[in-house]
Amino acid sequence: MDETLSTNPLRFETNPYHNILVKDRKIMELTGVKQIDSFDSSEFLMETAQGWMLVQGKDLTLGKLDTERGDVVIKGLIETISYVSNKKGNQKDSVISKIFK
């Protein structure tokens, strides 16, 4: 099921602190999330208090969303977590790099 939200990102209030807790690579708890730009079963693109973050994996789902506090829980197999400087440019690069691997 594709739940991409790229045309209408979720924006919410957040605190200035950003923390990540990963439990057994199956559950990821985040604080300081400003917005979720897009997500599907293999990728989440979010703006955090510390910049844009890309989470990639398999069977990813949104487990919890607290828009008042900026807390997010992602469930599934977490494979990569990265901070990106340009959300649009890096998305294109990752698609191109996947093709040429």
Side-chain angles (χ1 to χ4, degrees):
M1 181 169 138
D2 187 2
E3 298 175 323
T4 303
L5 299 173
S6 59
T7 58
N8 193 9
L10 295 175
R11 297 177 190 272
F12 32 92
E13 295 298 317
T14 184
N15 62 47
Y17 304 104
H18 171 58
N19 295 297
I20 302 170
L21 175 63
V22 179
K23 299 177 183 177
D24 297 326
R25 290 183 59 189
K26 295 178 184 173
I27 299 173
M28 181 178 195
E29 298 176 2
L30 299 110
T31 62
V33 177
K34 292 183 176 184
Q35 71 170 308
I36 298 175
D37 188 67
S38 63
F39 70 94
D40 60 23
S41 64
S42 63
E43 187 174 274
F44 274 70
L45 179 61
M46 301 169 281
E47 183 180 10
T48 73
Q50 298 297 310
W52 286 95
M53 171 184 265
L54 182 65
V55 177
Q56 296 175 310
K58 294 180 182 161
D59 301 321
L60 300 179
T61 60
L62 184 61
K64 175 187 170 190
L65 174 63
D66 183 336
T67 58
E68 290 182 22
R69 296 174 43 123
D71 295 343
V72 172
V73 173
I74 299 172
K75 295 181 179 182
L77 178 61
I78 310 296
E79 292 181 332
T80 62
I81 303 166
S82 59
Y83 290 91
V84 294
S85 58
N86 179 346
K87 71 171 183 160
K88 301 296 181 197
N90 285 356
Q91 253 186 339
K92 290 177 185 173
D93 291 344
S94 66
V95 170
I96 292 171
S97 67
K98 288 178 185 178
I99 292 171
F100 291 107
K101 276 191 177 179

